Amino acid sequence: MPLVNKVKEYRVAAGINQQEFGRLVGASRQTISSIECGDYHPSVLVALKIAKILKVSVEEIFEFEEDSNE
């Protein structure tokens, strides 16, 4: 599933490190890292928390890119 995100870009712009961001979201630093790398897709609840903390819409951070073969 091609879900791309800009979590790291927005987190860094907000001046929050992964450890602190994980605490705010309610996830581990490793989970935040995995989300940023695209290795893990967050639940809807976590995606909503991320957007709220970063003060942007979910759509600004997460984007579904359809595969041209589908």
Side-chain angles (χ1 to χ4, degrees):
M1 185 181 333
L3 181 67
V4 296
N5 74 75
K6 297 178 182 173
V7 174
K8 183 175 183 177
E9 178 182 328
Y10 280 90
R11 177 185 59 76
V12 170
I16 307 170
N17 66 38
Q18 284 183 341
Q19 187 73 37
E20 177 65 12
F21 194 61
R23 189 188 66 74
L24 293 170
V25 171
S28 68
R29 183 207 57 78
Q30 293 86 350
T31 298
I32 298 302
S33 177
S34 292
I35 292 170
E36 291 179 352
C37 292
D39 295 333
Y40 176 74
H41 302 305
S43 68
V44 173
L45 181 60
V46 171
L48 289 168
K49 284 181 178 180
I50 288 171
K52 184 174 183 177
I53 291 163
L54 296 173
K55 298 178 179 152
V56 295
S57 70
V58 172
E59 293 84 1
E60 287 180 72
I61 299 174
F62 297 96
E63 182 179 343
F64 175 74
E65 291 185 348
E66 290 190 50
D67 188 0
S68 59
N69 296 330
E70 291 181 7

